[in-house]
Amino acid sequence: MAQDRRRIVVVDSGGRYGQLIARLVRERQVYCEVWPVGAPAARYREANVAGIILCAAPGDPAVLELGIPVLGPGQQFRPEAADTEQGRTLLGDFLFNLAGCEATWTTESFIADQVEAIRRRVGGGKVLCALSGGVDSSVAAVLVHRAIGEQLTCIFVDHGLLRKGEAEQVVRTFRDRFHIRLVHVDASERFLSKLRGVTDPERKRKIIGNEFIRVFEDEARKLGQIDFLVQGTVYTDVLESGTGASQVIKSHHNVGGLPEDMQFQLIEPFRELFKDEVRAVGRALGVPEEIVGRHPFPGPGLAIRVLGEVTPEKLDILREADQIYIEEIRRAGLYDKIWQAFAVLPDVRSVGVQGDERTYAYPIVLRAVTSADGLTADFYRFPWEVLERITSRIVREVAHVNRVVYDMTPKPPGTIEWE
Ligand code: XMP
């Protein structure tokens, strides 16, 4: 898409500076991509490349012969110092003086271009979107809806493993506020009965993943001929899959994985965007902050936070505790400082006391981490009084809970989730 758009290309062999520099360029409202070392000269010519930034040492001698302005280690530019005052000055000089770029790539221009491109591509076709309530699929649905309105149908598979009030919020937001055609499938019973007696985390994931596909297929079939499927793939997914020449259905570790034998063409409006750019698009489209700014939530949902067997009773306990936890984090103004915060219900009980009575009830584990990408993480250092308030509310307000503990393990060696 948008092959004719002028762009800056950062050449990187997969190091960590490529993406950083691409972001710095995009912050200056110039569109920028990361390409691997050794891309053929024809690709540069066809893509209307205005300038090249070399990141990888020893670089790519072939690009010097393309006749396209190059910024590289030869011009005092050090990729590792790109985000300093001097680096920014060099970068700005290169973009606007040498490469002749203009600062025109904005959230609004992106939305306008995509709306236009989606309309052209879809024509009179029918489009389907699997809506999870997460940032990427939510913003994608609203953007595609802006382009083609009633030709879009969203399917929201509610597996009964969502947090308190989440399903209602999705329905309220997309059906009532955006007037998007939304099929809300309440499949809780179906998922819970499949999960009965299952304790192994990977088996839980597999069961939920398979069941998700079945439910989705059943619903999609009812809609008749569908031509396109919307996916919220983001640029880092594309880069991780090897600078994405081919379009792959995103199944990576996710319940969003969809049937491979379904014959759709994919619409992936965010293939070029970093996650925070998707958020900016969402805000510009009026997607509520509670969706756009939300912490990541795993596809299998609360099934991997109720440790051991998943039962409706345990899900209810966890939902109540989790809601109090998140509410207090928001109230303390800490939500945006944390990558992910959630409660976990272990499969043990301990002795406590209430009034004159001995209790034998569940503990709740609180987890909160900071992270850049989920690959490594550190525990979040809460002010004591916030943890104290959360603890006292949970033991007071949530039945069957008599103890709260805080997980201080970084990743590694712990993972972020407990299962
Ligand atoms: P871990 O627990 O592996 O989590 O440190 C890293 C990130 O991945 C999320 N996660 C999942 N996301 N399906 C998902 O869609 C899953 O099965 C799954 N398991 C972990 C986790 O929430 C964290 O953001």
Side-chain angles (χ1 to χ4, degrees):
M1 220 176 281
Q3 276 303 98
D4 52 343
R5 187 200 294 146
R6 292 196 88 204
R7 68 196 65 198
I8 293 292
V9 168
V10 178
V11 180
D12 192 11
S13 55
R16 54 205 168 95
Y17 297 116
Q19 290 192 27
L20 170 75
I21 293 174
R23 281 159 187 269
L24 291 172
V25 174
R26 288 172 175 212
E27 275 171 20
R28 311 288 277 263
Q29 303 185 333
V30 173
Y31 180 63
C32 179
E33 291 181 350
V34 183
W35 289 13
V37 174
R43 187 171 170 201
Y44 283 93
R45 297 211 179 86
E46 283 159 18
N48 198 1
V49 176
I52 298 170
I53 301 175
L54 290 179
C55 241
D60 204 348
V63 303
L64 300 174
E65 282 154 32
L66 292 167
I68 299 172
V70 172
L71 179 66
Q75 293 83 19
Q76 305 157 327
F77 181 74
R78 292 181 302 124
E80 64 279 13
D83 198 10
T84 61
E85 201 178 317
Q86 197 210 7
R88 284 171 183 270
T89 308
L90 274 169
L91 204 56
D93 204 39
F94 175 72
L95 296 176
F96 302 113
N97 296 332
L98 269 167
C101 296
E102 286 172 43
T104 52
W105 191 71
T106 61
T107 304
E108 288 67 29
S109 74
F110 173 85
I111 293 172
D113 287 352
Q114 284 295 330
V115 164
E116 174 67 29
I118 293 167
R119 265 185 206 148
R120 220 179 314 124
R121 185 151 169 240
V122 169
K126 256 172 107 174
V127 183
L128 189 59
C129 174
L131 192 64
S132 68
V135 179
D136 303 335
S137 70
S138 297
V139 180
V142 174
L143 177 64
V144 172
H145 180 256
R146 176 172 286 198
I148 56 158
E150 295 276 291
Q151 284 163 265
L152 170 73
T153 304
C154 291
I155 296 183
F156 167 47
V157 177
D158 177 0
H159 51 23
L161 304 163
L162 297 172
R163 288 159 294 190
K164 193 171 174 186
E166 207 169 353
E168 295 79 358
Q169 188 202 29
V170 169
V171 173
R172 209 170 45 236
T173 305
F174 294 95
R175 194 180 280 160
D176 302 346
R177 169 158 182 182
F178 286 105
H179 308 291
I180 291 178
R181 292 170 72 148
L182 177 71
V183 180
H184 173 202
V185 194
D186 180 358
S188 330
E189 306 243 321
R190 206 165 148 170
F191 280 85
L192 282 177
S193 71
K194 289 268 180 220
L195 287 169
R196 200 164 295 140
V198 179
T199 55
D200 177 66
E202 288 315 303
R203 268 201 69 209
K204 289 185 193 174
R205 282 194 171 78
K206 203 155 253 150
I207 288 169
I208 295 166
N210 289 339
E211 204 54 24
F212 184 92
I213 290 175
R214 278 208 197 106
V215 174
F216 187 83
E217 270 178 334
D218 288 352
E219 294 302 321
R221 214 167 282 124
K222 290 183 200 161
L223 298 171
Q225 170 64 32
I226 297 288
D227 309 290
F228 297 91
L229 180 73
V230 180
Q231 284 221 133
T233 318
V234 296
Y235 194 44
T236 35
D237 303 329
V238 176
L239 291 178
E240 276 160 21
S241 68
T243 37
S246 66
Q247 295 200 328
V248 278
I249 298 233
K250 185 178 172 186
S251 63
H252 173 67
H253 184 120
N254 209 336
V255 167
L258 292 172
E260 284 178 24
D261 55 351
M262 296 187 98
Q263 297 300 312
F264 302 121
Q265 293 185 60
L266 293 181
I267 297 182
E268 301 178 293
F270 306 141
R271 274 179 77 79
E272 304 171 339
L273 297 194
F274 291 109
K275 189 97 176 184
D276 47 345
E277 294 167 341
V278 175
R279 293 202 163 96
V281 169
R283 291 191 178 104
L285 291 169
V287 180
E289 192 56 37
E290 47 193 26
I291 290 181
V292 165
R294 174 178 282 178
H295 292 166
F297 185 66
L302 301 182
I304 57 168
R305 295 178 179 172
V306 167
L307 308 185
E309 186 181 2
V310 181
T311 64
E313 297 73 33
K314 286 183 175 176
L315 284 169
D316 280 343
I317 296 172
L318 182 58
R319 279 197 186 102
E320 294 300 322
D322 193 76
Q323 195 212 13
I324 293 171
Y325 185 32
I326 300 301
E327 193 176 294
E328 289 297 331
I329 290 175
R330 284 195 189 278
R331 187 169 295 162
L334 302 175
Y335 189 82
D336 295 336
K337 296 188 163 51
I338 297 169
W339 164 267
Q340 240 176 324
F342 53 90
V344 174
L345 182 68
D347 194 21
V348 293
R349 283 183 287 171
S350 75
V351 173
V353 59
Q354 186 165 35
D356 298 332
E357 284 188 30
R358 176 185 175 281
T359 58
Y360 187 54
Y362 292 105
I364 283 288
V365 175
L366 304 179
R367 183 86 165 127
V369 297
T370 53
S371 176
D373 48 18
L375 297 177
T376 60
D378 194 7
F379 76 92
Y380 181 67
R381 281 135 177 99
F382 275 111
W384 282 116
E385 55 282 8
V386 176
L387 277 180
E388 192 178 350
R389 196 157 49 238
I390 293 164
T391 301
S392 83
R393 274 198 64 193
I394 290 177
V395 292
R396 217 176 41 231
E397 296 174 33
V398 185
H400 312 293
V401 172
N402 63 357
R403 210 176 274 277
V404 174
V405 300
Y406 187 57
D407 180 358
M408 296 176 65
T409 322
K411 173 184 179 178
T415 48
I416 295 175
E417 302 289 345
W418 270 48
E419 280 195 342

